[in-house]
Amino acid sequence: MEIRKSALMDRPSAAMFDLIEAAEHYPEFMPWCADATILARDDTLVVARIGVDYHGARFQFTTRNPKMRPHWMAVGFEDGPFRRFEGEWRLRDLGPGACRVEFMLRYEIDGTLQGLLAGRVLDSVAGTLVDAFARRAEQSAH
């Protein structure tokens, strides 16, 4: 499965990047995210374990995400119920207070029951990720 989504934001790319990169805050505004733990973070990489609970489907996955703040972050799979899970965030400045956010994700589930549940959840929520970040950015601007 492949998902592509983009949005124009009334926020600078650095602010949007920081919001996207801060996975530890996802449970505050993504209803499917039960918990999130940063396992490692430095200027070039963030590793996060995300716990999902969506309509009773529960699983965890870990991503290893190389990054170049404020314009790019890859999404790489480290552990979880997927055969493949890769994507990227690209942020392009449109002026001092605006940017374009582009998100792409490709994934394949493994053949386990956990993988089937994960696939159903991602099919439901992946297309709404950019919208969730846009709403969060609006809330934090006020």
Side-chain angles (χ1 to χ4, degrees):
M1 173 71 82
E2 181 171 309
I3 291 154
R4 291 182 178 271
K5 190 91 171 173
S6 66
L8 301 177
M9 308 300 260
D10 240 358
R11 305 267 295 178
S13 58
M16 289 306 302
F17 183 93
D18 292 346
L19 188 64
I20 293 164
E21 193 268 357
E24 65 270 28
H25 296 293
Y26 289 5
E28 298 169 13
F29 66 98
M30 293 194 186
W32 53 265
C33 187
D35 60 80
T37 304
I38 300 300
L39 304 175
R41 176 184 275 143
D42 64 25
D43 290 342
T44 63
L45 179 74
V46 62
V47 180
R49 183 175 45 246
I50 308 292
V52 175
D53 185 349
Y54 184 76
H55 298 298
R58 292 186 178 107
F59 62 93
Q60 286 191 333
F61 64 99
T62 303
T63 62
R64 176 173 292 274
N65 309 316
K67 61 184 181 175
M68 289 185 289
R69 183 183 188 274
H71 297 292
W72 175 81
M73 184 168 69
V75 178
F77 174 69
E78 189 166 272
D79 181 48
F82 304 99
R83 186 174 297 132
R84 185 172 115 184
F85 188 92
E86 61 191 24
E88 69 179 1
W89 291 93
R90 292 195 175 270
L91 296 91
R92 301 190 195 316
D93 293 315
L94 299 176
C99 70
R100 178 181 181 88
V101 175
E102 298 172 345
F103 175 66
M104 183 279 300
L105 179 67
R106 286 187 204 101
Y107 62 93
E108 291 176 39
I109 57 171
D110 67 21
T112 65
L113 176 61
Q114 192 85 338
L116 295 173
L117 288 173
R120 282 201 352 238
V121 170
L122 278 179
D123 290 347
S124 297
V125 304
T128 66
L129 285 177
V130 172
D131 297 334
F133 286 113
R135 282 190 304 276
R136 181 67 169 191
E138 277 298 310
Q139 293 168 356
S140 64
H142 300 306

